[in-house]
C-alpha cells in the first residue's frame, strides 16, 4: 500500500468523495483537510507511521461515503454564499 | 443624510396638502429604493453560521461514530447481565478515556452529565453543600456563565456567602483581588477558563497554584475551552472542571464533569436515583451521546493545532478587514489573552440589535444565547466597564473548525456595509464627524 501510485489513488478518491458532501461547510472542510493532511504527511518515511496514516485515510473514506449519503437524504436549503457563487456562474 | 431628513419632515408636515404629501411620499419611496439606505435586503438561502460559542455543528465523523449506538447497540450501559449491556458499557468507557485524555485526567475522574450547566451545578452546589458545615464561603467572578452565577445565588439563599470578584477592563481577574478574597472559610473558587461572550482566557494555572497553596478547591467552567486550548488538570491544579459536548462539535444533551480523586474532592449529589456514575449523577448514561462526545474529544485532541491555526488565520482576516475599513470599533476583552475564535466587537454609534437585524444572512449574536432574548446589555460587558452605549452595540463573531475564508469575507463585507449605513443615519455619528465631543453635550431633560 505504501507505493506512491496507490497513495495518489487514495488521495484522488478522498478528494472525489469530499466533493460529494452536500453541506457547504463540511465539504469545504473535507477538501481542505484531505489536502493539508496529505501535504503534511508527504514527508513521513517511517513505514509503520505511514501505514497508520493510510489506514486512517481509508477509514475516513468510508465515513465520507456514508455521511455524504446521509447528507443527501436530509438535504437543506443552500447557504447564501453558495447561491451567490451559482448566480455568478449562471451569468 | 440631510436630504432624508428634509423629505421625512416634508412628509410629516404636509398633511394639509395632499398633493404635496403624495409627491413627497413618492420621493421618499424613490429615495429608499436607493440601495445605500435600504434596510431590507433580499437574499436566497440559509444564513451563514458564525455563532459557534452558542453551539457547534455536529462533526460528520462524530455522527458516524454515534449511529451504531442509535441502531443496533441499544443496550443500557449499566446492564451487567447480557451482551447488549456490555457492548454499550465498553463504548461508554472508551469515550470516558478519550474525554480524560484531552484534559490529562484519569478516566475514573470523569462523570457524564447532561451538559455543562449540570456540571457547573454539581460542582458549585455539590462542593459547597458537602463542606458547608465548616466552610460557608465561595468565590466566583462577575463574568461567569449564568448557571454558575445562578447556582451561587441559590446558595446565598441557603446561608452561604459568595464573593463576586470584579474583572479588570481587559476581562481578566486580578490575582491580588483573588488572593485577598480567599479566607479560611472559603471552600470553592469557581472561575471559567474561556469566557463565552468575550473569549478572554483567565490565568487558570496561576489560580490553580494559588488555590492549592491556600487549600481551597478550584472549579473551572471549561465549556468554551476544552478542545480549543491545551488544558491539563494536573499541571494547572484544577480540582473540578465542567465540559460540554456540543461546544466541541459533539452532540447536544451531554457534558461531563471532572472531579479530582487524589486528593479527593467530595461533592453532594443533586439527583437521587440508581447510583450511576459513582452516585454523583444518577440516571442512565445516554450511550450514543457519550460515544459522540468521546469521539469529538478524540478528534479535538488530534486536530487541536490544525484547527487552531485555521481559526487564528480567519480571526485575523476578519479583524483586519473590519478594522481596516471602519473606525471607532472596539474589541471587548484582552486581545492577547483570549481565544481567537471568539471576537466581540463594539461598533460605536450603531445599535447592536439593528446591526443584527440588518445582518440577517449571517447567524450572529450580541452575546450569550441564554440572554439573547432580552434587550438588556450584557452583564459581562458591563463588568469589564464598557460604556452603556458600547455595551449596546456589541456583536460576537464565532469562528470554528468548519468556517471558511469565503464566509469570513462575506461577513466582513456585509458588516462594513451595514455599519456604514447605520452610522450615516445616526445624528450622533454626524456630530462626531463634525468634531463635536459627545461627552461634552448637556442633554436636556424632559
Amino acid at each position: 500500500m505504501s507505493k506512491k501510485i496507490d497513495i495518489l489513488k487514495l488521495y484522488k478518491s478522498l478528494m472525489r468523495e469530499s466533493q460529494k458532501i452536500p453541506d457547504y461547510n463540511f465539504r469545504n472542510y473535507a477538501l481542505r483537510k484531505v489536502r493539508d493532511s496529505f501535504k503534511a504527511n508527504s514527508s513521513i518515511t517511517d513505514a509503520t507511521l505511514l501505514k497508520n496514516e493510510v489506514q486512517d485515510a481509508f477509514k475516513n473514506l468510508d465515513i465520507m461515503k456514508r455521511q455524504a449519503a446521509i447528507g443527501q437524504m436530509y438535504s437543506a436549503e443552500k447557504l447564501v454564499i453558495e447561491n451567490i457563487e451559482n448566480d455568478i456562474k449562471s451569468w | 443624510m440631510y436630504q432624508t431628513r428634509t423629505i421625512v419632515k416634508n412628509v410629516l408636515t404636509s398633511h394639509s396638502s395632499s398633493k404635496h404629501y403624495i409627491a413627497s411620499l413618492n420621493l421618499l419611496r424613490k429615495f429608499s429604493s436607493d440601495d445605500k439606505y435600504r434596510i431590507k435586503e433580499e437574499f436566497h438561502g440559509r444564513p451563514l453560521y458564525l455563532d459557534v460559542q452558542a453551539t457547534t455543528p455536529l462533526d460528520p465523523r462524530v455522527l458516524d461514530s454515534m449511529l451504531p449506538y442509535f441502531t443496533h447497540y441499544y443496550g443500557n450501559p449499566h446492564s451487567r447481565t447480557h451482551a447488549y449491556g456490555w457492548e454499550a458499557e465498553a463504548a461508554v468507557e472508551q469515550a470516558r478515556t478519550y474525554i480524560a485524555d484531552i484534559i490529562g485526567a484519569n478516566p475514573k475522574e470523569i462523570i457524564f452529565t447532561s451538559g455543562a450547566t449540570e456540571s457547573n451545578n454539581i460542582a458549585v452546589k455539590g462542593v459547597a453543600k458537602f463542606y458547608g458545615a465548616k466552610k460557608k464561603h465561595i468565590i466566583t467572578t462577575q463574568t461567569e456563565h449564568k448557571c454558575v452565577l445562578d447556582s451561587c445565588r441559590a446558595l446565598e439563599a441557603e446561608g452561604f456567602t459568595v464573593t463576586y470578584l470584579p474583572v479588570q477592563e481587559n476581562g481578566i481577574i486580578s490575582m491580588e483581588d483573588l488572593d485577598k478574597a480567599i479566607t479560611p472559610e472559603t471552600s470553592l473558587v469557581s472561575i471559567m477558563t474561556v469566557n463565552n461572550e468575550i473569549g478572554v482566557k483567565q490565568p487558570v494555572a496561576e489560580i490553580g497554584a494559588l488555590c492549592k497553596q491556600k487549600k481551597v478547591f478550584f472549579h473551572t467552567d471549561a465549556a468554551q475551552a476544552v478542545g480549543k486550548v491545551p488544558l491539563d488538570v494536573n499541571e494547572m491544579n484544577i480540582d473540578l472542571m465542567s465540559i460540554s459536548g456540543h461546544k466541541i462539535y459533539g452532540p447536544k444533551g451531554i457534558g461531563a464533569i471532572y472531579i479530582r480523586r487524589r486528593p479527593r474532592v467530595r461533592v453532594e449529589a443533586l439527583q437521587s436515583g440508581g447510583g450511576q456514575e459513582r452516585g454523583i449523577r444518577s440516571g442512565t448514561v445516554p450511550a450514543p451521546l457519550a460515544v459522540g462526545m468521546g469521539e469529538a474529544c478524540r478528534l479535538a485532541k488530534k486536530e487541536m493545532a490544525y484547527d487552531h491555526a485555521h481559526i487564528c488565520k480567519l480571526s485575523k482576516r476578519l479583524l483586519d478587514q473590519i478594522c481596516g475599513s471602519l473606525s471607532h470599533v472596539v474589541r471587548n476583552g484582552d486581545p492577547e489573552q483570549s481565544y481567537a475564535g471568539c471576537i466581540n466587537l463594539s461598533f460605536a454609534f450603531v445599535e447592536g440589535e439593528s446591526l443584527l437585524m440588518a445582518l440577517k444572512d449571517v447567524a450572529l449574536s450580541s452575546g450569550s444565547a441564554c440572554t439573547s432574548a432580552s434587550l438588556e446589555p450584557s452583564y459581562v460587558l458591563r463588568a469589564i466597564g464598557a460604556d452603556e452605549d458600547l455595551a449596546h452595540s456589541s456583536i460576537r463573531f464565532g469562528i470554528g473548525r468548519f468556517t471558511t475564508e469565503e464566509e469570513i469575507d462575506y461577513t466582513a463585507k456585509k458588516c462594513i456595509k451595514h455599519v456604514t449605513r447605520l452610522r450615516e443615519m445616526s445624528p450622533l455619528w454626524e456630530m462626531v464627524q463634525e468634531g463635536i465631543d459627545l461627552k461634552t453635550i448637556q442633554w436636556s431633560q424632559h
Side-chain angles (χ1 to χ4, degrees):
Chain A
M1 188 57 235
S2 54
K3 265 191 255 161
K4 220 173 182 177
I5 189 106
D6 290 337
I7 288 179
L8 204 67
K9 232 182 198 170
L10 177 61
Y11 174 75
K12 277 189 177 161
S13 44
L14 277 164
M15 290 301 269
R16 200 166 44 238
E17 285 307 318
S18 301
Q19 292 283 8
K20 291 182 193 162
I21 300 173
D23 184 279
Y24 167 84
N25 294 87
F26 294 159
R27 181 175 62 247
N28 278 293
Y29 171 75
L31 289 167
R32 176 167 63 85
K33 179 77 179 129
V34 170
R35 208 177 293 133
D36 290 350
S37 304
F38 272 76
K39 207 182 275 172
N41 293 338
S42 64
S43 54
I44 294 180
T45 45
D46 185 77
T48 44
L49 218 65
L50 192 65
K51 203 180 146 199
N52 285 343
E53 289 295 335
V54 169
Q55 272 174 356
D56 260 11
F58 270 112
K59 265 186 217 159
N60 282 328
L61 185 63
D62 285 343
I63 293 176
M64 254 187 230
K65 282 180 185 166
R66 288 194 293 265
Q67 291 301 312
I70 290 175
Q72 277 150 16
M73 281 185 248
Y74 302 94
S75 59
E77 213 184 329
K78 288 206 161 172
L79 287 187
V80 182
I81 43 174
E82 289 181 279
N83 288 327
I84 289 176
E85 279 166 21
N86 289 344
D87 287 349
I88 292 168
K89 272 179 206 158
S90 65
W91 279 349
Chain B
M1 194 61 237
Y2 173 76
Q3 214 179 339
T4 351
R5 259 196 237 148
T6 334
I7 295 165
V8 174
K9 208 172 145 197
N10 282 346
V11 172
L12 293 177
T13 54
S14 59
H15 285 291
S16 48
S17 137
S18 61
K19 205 176 164 190
H20 187 189
Y21 175 66
I22 288 162
S24 34
L25 240 178
N26 281 339
L27 211 87
L28 184 64
R29 209 171 285 148
K30 193 175 158 230
F31 197 77
S32 58
S33 69
D34 182 356
D35 188 52
K36 202 167 146 195
Y37 292 100
R38 197 160 59 181
I39 296 170
K40 202 179 160 206
E41 261 195 302
E42 292 194 2
F43 65 92
H44 308 284
R46 280 164 66 75
L48 308 179
Y49 191 74
L50 260 90
D51 196 14
V52 295
Q53 272 73 38
T55 188
T56 52
L58 183 72
D59 192 305
R61 292 167 291 183
V62 173
L63 178 63
D64 199 75
S65 72
M66 288 163 68
L67 283 172
Y69 295 90
F70 275 124
T71 51
H72 297 296
Y73 309 123
Y74 48 77
N76 183 329
H78 312 294
S79 296
R80 290 289 165 86
T81 52
H82 50 70
Y84 285 80
W86 302 333
E87 62 201 14
E89 192 194 11
V92 168
E93 292 315 310
Q94 182 62 58
R96 206 189 294 278
T97 316
Y98 290 143
I99 298 167
D101 275 353
I102 204 172
I103 57 167
N106 185 308
K108 286 179 183 164
E109 297 171 313
I110 303 292
I111 305 289
F112 282 111
T113 63
S114 65
T117 293
E118 191 184 351
S119 301
N120 284 334
N121 269 274
I122 292 175
V124 175
K125 291 180 187 165
V127 169
K129 285 182 182 172
F130 193 89
Y131 297 94
K134 284 181 186 161
K135 294 176 164 186
K136 277 196 166 303
H137 180 229
I138 293 159
I139 299 170
T140 186
T141 70
Q142 292 174 358
T143 55
E144 288 299 306
H145 190 266
K146 266 275 159 68
C147 61
V148 172
L149 294 176
D150 242 32
S151 297
C152 288
R153 289 255 182 275
L155 287 172
E156 274 184 306
E158 290 178 32
F160 288 84
T161 48
V162 182
T163 304
Y164 299 93
L165 282 181
V167 291
Q168 302 163 53
E169 262 179 37
N170 57 6
I172 296 170
I173 63 148
S174 131
M175 289 302 290
E176 263 177 56
D177 285 356
L178 178 63
D179 195 10
K180 277 183 218 153
I182 298 176
T183 67
E185 275 269 280
T186 311
S187 62
L188 181 75
V189 171
S190 176
I191 295 172
M192 73 201 321
T193 316
V194 170
N195 187 275
N196 55 324
E197 288 195 25
I198 53 178
V200 160
K201 278 192 269 188
Q202 299 289 355
V204 175
E206 284 174 50
I207 300 168
L210 180 68
C211 289
K212 193 183 180 187
Q213 183 208 328
K214 298 248 178 173
K215 294 197 167 55
V216 178
F217 292 129
F218 173 37
H219 164 247
T220 186
D221 172 6
Q224 299 287 351
V226 169
K228 292 164 189 157
V229 293
L231 289 172
D232 189 300
V233 287
N234 293 317
E235 263 173 37
M236 295 172 163
N237 294 304
I238 296 164
D239 295 311
L240 301 109
M241 184 193 274
S242 305
I243 311 169
S244 176
H246 73 110
K247 311 277 190 201
I248 48 170
Y249 314 96
K252 293 161 186 64
I254 186 134
I257 181 168
Y258 157 81
I259 304 179
R260 184 176 286 283
R261 274 163 77 90
R262 281 201 193 92
R264 195 163 174 201
V265 180
R266 314 277 302 264
V267 295
E268 196 183 285
L270 304 179
Q271 192 163 307
S272 319
Q276 289 93 343
E277 300 293 283
R278 295 198 286 121
I280 291 166
R281 206 277 186 178
S282 287
T284 304
V285 170
L289 302 183
V291 168
M293 186 176 170
E295 179 67 6
C297 282
R298 189 184 72 83
L299 290 170
K301 192 186 177 201
K302 199 174 150 213
E303 292 176 4
M304 200 183 286
Y306 180 70
D307 284 345
H308 192 253
H310 176 68
I311 289 165
C312 282
K313 195 178 88 186
L314 294 188
S315 165
K316 192 175 173 294
R317 196 181 175 97
L318 182 71
L319 274 174
D320 285 352
Q321 290 187 21
I322 291 180
C323 297
S325 315
L326 294 171
S327 61
H328 297 80
V329 179
V330 180
R331 177 161 187 191
N332 295 308
D334 195 279
E336 297 299 320
Q337 276 307 306
S338 65
Y339 170 61
C342 178
I343 306 173
N344 193 312
L345 298 178
S346 281
F347 299 94
F349 318 110
V350 171
E351 217 254 318
E353 296 297 326
S354 317
L355 188 54
L356 285 179
M357 290 291 280
L359 289 169
K360 270 272 177 270
D361 43 354
V362 185
L364 290 165
S365 163
S366 56
S368 153
C370 315
T371 48
S372 61
S374 98
L375 288 173
E376 281 280 295
S378 140
Y379 64 89
V380 175
L381 293 181
R382 272 188 295 189
I384 64 169
D387 287 337
E388 187 87 351
D389 54 333
L390 277 180
H392 266 294
S393 61
S394 79
I395 301 272
R396 179 181 68 184
F397 298 88
I399 301 163
R401 182 185 283 166
F402 298 107
T403 313
T404 66
E405 266 181 27
E406 291 80 49
E407 286 181 303
I408 293 292
D409 293 350
Y410 183 88
T411 306
K413 201 184 86 195
K414 275 293 166 84
C415 185
I416 292 162
K417 181 185 162 191
H418 286 289
V419 168
T420 314
R421 179 180 63 79
L422 288 165
R423 277 181 179 171
E424 276 175 19
M425 298 199 302
S426 156
L428 292 176
W429 177 247
E430 209 170 331
M431 286 166 150
V432 171
Q433 295 307 96
E434 283 160 13
I436 301 167
D437 185 0
L438 295 181
K439 293 238 159 72
T440 62
I441 297 173
Q442 294 281 315
W443 302 102
S444 63
Q445 300 264 319
H446 290 287

